[in-house]
Amino acid sequence: MANLPETAGPLYEKVKDYILDHIGSGAWGKDQRVPSEHELVSMLGVSRMTVHRALRELTSDGHLIRIQGVGTFVAPPKPYSTLIEIVDIASEIRARGARYRADIILLESLQPSQELLAAFDFATRKPVGHSMILHHENDMPVMIEERFVNSDLAPDYDKQDFSAVTTYDFLQKSTPLTEVEQVIAAITADEDTARMLALEAGAPCLLLHRRTWTGSTVATVNRFTYSSRYTLGSRYAPSAFR
Amino acid sequence: MANLPETAGPLYEKVKDYILDHIGSGAWGKDQRVPSEHELVSMLGVSRMTVHRALRELTSDGHLIRIQGVGTFVAPPKPYSTLIEIVDIASEIRARGARYRADIILLESLQPSQELLAAFDFATRKPVGHSMILHHENDMPVMIEERFVNSDLAPDYDKQDFSAVTTYDFLQKSTPLTEVEQVIAAITADEDTARMLALEAGAPCLLLHRRTWTGSTVATVNRFTYSSRYTLGSRYAPSAFR
DNA sequence: TGCCTGGACATGTATAGACATCTTCCCAGA
DNA sequence: TCTGGGAAGATGTCTATACATGTCCAGGCA
């Protein structure tokens, strides 16, 4: 009988470690077959439910691929990709210990343009909420936030007091977010943008386009323009690795 | 006895839906107590293991918080934050159906500068691998990749043939990535950069700084400069939401 | 030759029962 | 009044068993 690692913790964790060790050492390579539940039961001397739990968790972590009726296989290695978490700018600024302020430049309900209709995937013309807010760090403008909000999901968007509640907090409470699409680009600030962000003409700016969904309906279409004084970034520890 | 939702699928999924419905409707609010496993067994007429699995999965999805010996509680709502996945540029370009090419500008081993020593968190001076590669989409330069690699982890980095294997693939195989730190900024291209990317002087560029760790040691320090023709972005469906 | 059906085997789910571990709280004894 | 101990109740783990569902293949029948 094979030996389980002597790490602490519950049995199914030891079974997970046993399997991860074999994958990590290369003994069980990519796409290769992992012993069946029944075989692991014989090899390790634990019950099938315990083996099953270990295999199920490793599968949801992306280490294994299981096909009912066929078997369990080592998953291809994780892509060397990373995730950037972008948080609410108000909390981001405050987290750095800086003073945060937001100026509401505009808050209205408007008839969407053709382009916006397409972004919302609307079949018929109906008004959407629209806001433009200038965010400051220590009274220095750092980001222009422009949001278009689906009025079906947040009908009173243009009647909120966003000097008291951030758009972020309001939207978090009113609409459950299910999906996000984002594009980041570098642009040269045009005259208006440069003026608002107190930049020299021609300064480079970070542009973040974002669409969010709740279910299959588009909830918001956003455009964030960051001053070149500002950087986006964070640190993220992928949980798929041990 | 309470009624489980009539959705399809296994029993534990119905129990999960039952609980998520009560959370979503506001019937069970934030920090409020969820019925105990024993109570749910009585209420729903399923076995404790089935209830337990549902609760455990909802906990790992961040919907619930469980404290042994105390009880189960509704977790505070998810932050309204998003994740951007940034993948390997070669596969990104190919995925768009474009022709990909990489020119190796430089591949060497060098003594790190003071700044680089700090980035690697090295106590003593030792050489690091260094590469500069220009990536093309349809023969148009779109990104300058500059990498500094910890020689302890990838000692032969400067001896690889990166026209045959991408740096991405090589590093993925040689070093298990455990953590990532990234910063994105917009910059104005300097003369050299503009020339390499075939841009006009003063064009805005996207700058992505990245450090990666394996365990507690810094594996690579990277600097990616994207042409203004290029945008970073992707679509991501957070699994924590239903 | 071709189909198709049954058996072997894999994973997936559900249950009952037992014991472990942890927290809370009440009550008896000092 | 203070304190220690134990009961109650919560989650956490493990097992044995049963049945469901899916895949694959070999052997038999047309």
Side-chain angles (χ1 to χ4, degrees):
Chain A
M1 183 179 315
N3 287 328
L4 284 172
E6 293 176 6
T7 54
L11 248 183
Y12 70 88
E13 287 290 351
K14 294 184 187 177
V15 176
K16 286 173 72 173
D17 285 341
Y18 176 85
I19 293 166
L20 284 173
D21 286 345
H22 281 72
I23 294 176
S25 72
W28 297 347
K30 176 193 165 191
D31 289 341
Q32 197 173 322
R33 177 150 198 182
V34 166
S36 72
E37 295 187 355
H38 182 71
E39 287 169 325
L40 286 169
V41 165
S42 308
M43 288 163 63
L44 305 177
V46 299
S47 81
R48 194 186 143 220
M49 285 301 286
T50 301
V51 167
H52 181 76
R53 175 164 179 186
L55 292 173
R56 187 170 17 119
E57 294 191 357
L58 289 174
T59 302
S60 79
D61 283 350
H63 290 105
L64 298 176
I65 293 172
R66 315 197 74 194
I67 305 173
Q68 183 175 142
V70 181
T72 304
F73 305 87
V74 177
K78 304 260 110 190
Y80 208 80
S81 74
T82 57
L83 299 166
I84 301 182
E85 190 171 6
I86 296 182
V87 297
D88 163 40
I89 190 162
S91 57
E92 195 172 321
I93 287 174
R94 290 206 188 91
R96 270 200 296 275
R99 206 166 49 253
Y100 170 76
R101 197 185 87 225
D103 287 353
I104 290 114
I105 304 206
L106 200 146
L107 184 56
E108 61 177 355
S109 176
L110 58 71
Q111 285 294 334
S113 67
Q114 206 64 34
E115 195 184 3
L116 210 49
L117 272 183
F120 272 108
D121 206 18
F122 280 173
T124 63
R125 218 174 177 82
K126 52 187 166 185
V128 297
H130 178 216
S131 64
M132 269 186 79
I133 294 175
L134 190 56
H135 299 268
H136 299 74
E137 175 166 352
N138 290 335
D139 298 321
M140 177 69 86
V142 292
M143 197 259 273
I144 304 168
E145 172 202 310
E146 186 168 19
R147 297 189 115 113
F148 300 93
V149 178
N150 188 332
S151 298
D152 296 341
L153 298 175
D156 296 326
Y157 184 76
D158 60 332
K159 296 180 189 64
Q160 299 304 310
D161 177 12
F162 286 128
S163 57
V165 185
T166 66
T167 51
Y168 172 96
D169 283 335
F170 173 74
L171 291 171
Q172 184 186 336
K173 272 171 192 122
S174 62
T175 67
L177 176 68
T178 57
E179 202 166 340
V180 176
E181 177 189 75
Q182 304 196 102
V183 174
I184 298 179
I187 59 163
T188 301
D190 62 22
E191 204 175 304
D192 283 351
T193 304
R195 191 170 27 78
M196 278 198 277
L197 292 176
L199 295 172
E200 291 170 31
C205 289
L206 216 53
L207 187 66
L208 171 62
H209 271 285
R210 184 186 293 174
R211 280 200 295 174
T212 65
W213 279 259
T214 71
S216 56
T217 67
V218 176
T220 66
V221 176
N222 311 303
R223 179 191 165 96
F224 305 102
T225 311
Y226 290 83
S227 158
S228 49
R229 296 194 192 85
Y230 206 81
T231 55
L232 280 181
S234 88
R235 176 187 270 242
Y236 179 72
S239 65
F241 296 89
R242 289 191 310 141
Chain B
M1 184 179 317
N3 287 328
L4 284 172
E6 293 177 6
T7 53
L11 247 183
Y12 71 88
E13 287 290 351
K14 295 184 186 176
V15 175
K16 286 173 72 173
D17 284 341
Y18 176 86
I19 293 165
L20 284 173
D21 286 346
H22 281 72
I23 295 176
S25 72
W28 298 347
K30 178 194 162 187
D31 288 341
Q32 196 173 321
R33 177 148 195 184
V34 166
S36 73
E37 294 187 355
H38 183 71
E39 286 168 326
L40 285 169
V41 165
S42 307
M43 290 162 63
L44 304 177
V46 299
S47 79
R48 195 188 142 219
M49 282 303 284
T50 302
V51 167
H52 181 76
R53 175 165 177 185
L55 293 172
R56 195 183 38 198
E57 294 192 358
L58 289 174
T59 301
S60 78
D61 283 350
H63 290 105
L64 298 176
I65 293 171
R66 315 197 75 193
I67 305 172
Q68 183 174 154
V70 182
T72 304
F73 306 87
V74 177
K78 304 260 109 189
Y80 205 84
S81 74
T82 58
L83 299 169
I84 301 182
E85 189 172 4
I86 296 182
V87 296
D88 163 39
I89 190 162
S91 57
E92 196 171 320
I93 287 174
R94 289 205 189 92
R96 271 200 296 275
R99 207 168 44 254
Y100 169 77
R101 198 187 84 225
D103 287 353
I104 291 113
I105 310 237
L106 198 147
L107 183 56
E108 60 176 357
S109 177
L110 56 71
Q111 286 294 332
S113 67
Q114 207 64 36
E115 194 184 2
L116 211 48
L117 272 182
F120 273 107
D121 205 18
F122 280 173
T124 62
R125 217 173 177 80
K126 53 186 164 185
V128 297
H130 177 218
S131 64
M132 269 186 81
I133 294 176
L134 190 55
H135 300 267
H136 299 74
E137 175 167 353
N138 290 335
D139 298 320
M140 177 68 86
V142 292
M143 196 257 273
I144 304 167
E145 173 203 307
E146 185 167 20
R147 298 191 115 113
F148 299 93
V149 179
N150 188 331
S151 298
D152 296 341
L153 299 175
D156 296 326
Y157 183 77
D158 61 332
K159 296 178 188 66
Q160 298 305 309
D161 176 12
F162 286 129
S163 56
V165 184
T166 66
T167 51
Y168 172 96
D169 284 334
F170 173 75
L171 291 170
Q172 183 186 338
K173 273 173 191 120
S174 63
T175 67
L177 177 67
T178 57
E179 201 166 342
V180 175
E181 179 188 72
Q182 304 195 103
V183 174
I184 297 179
I187 59 163
T188 301
D190 61 23
E191 204 174 305
D192 283 350
T193 305
R195 190 167 32 75
M196 279 198 276
L197 292 176
L199 296 172
E200 291 169 30
C205 290
L206 217 53
L207 187 66
L208 171 62
H209 271 285
R210 183 186 294 173
R211 279 202 294 174
T212 65
W213 279 258
T214 70
S216 56
T217 66
V218 176
T220 66
V221 176
N222 311 303
R223 177 190 167 95
F224 306 102
T225 311
Y226 290 83
S227 158
S228 49
R229 298 191 190 88
Y230 206 82
T231 55
L232 280 181
S234 90
R235 176 185 271 240
Y236 179 69
S239 65
F241 296 89
R242 287 194 309 142

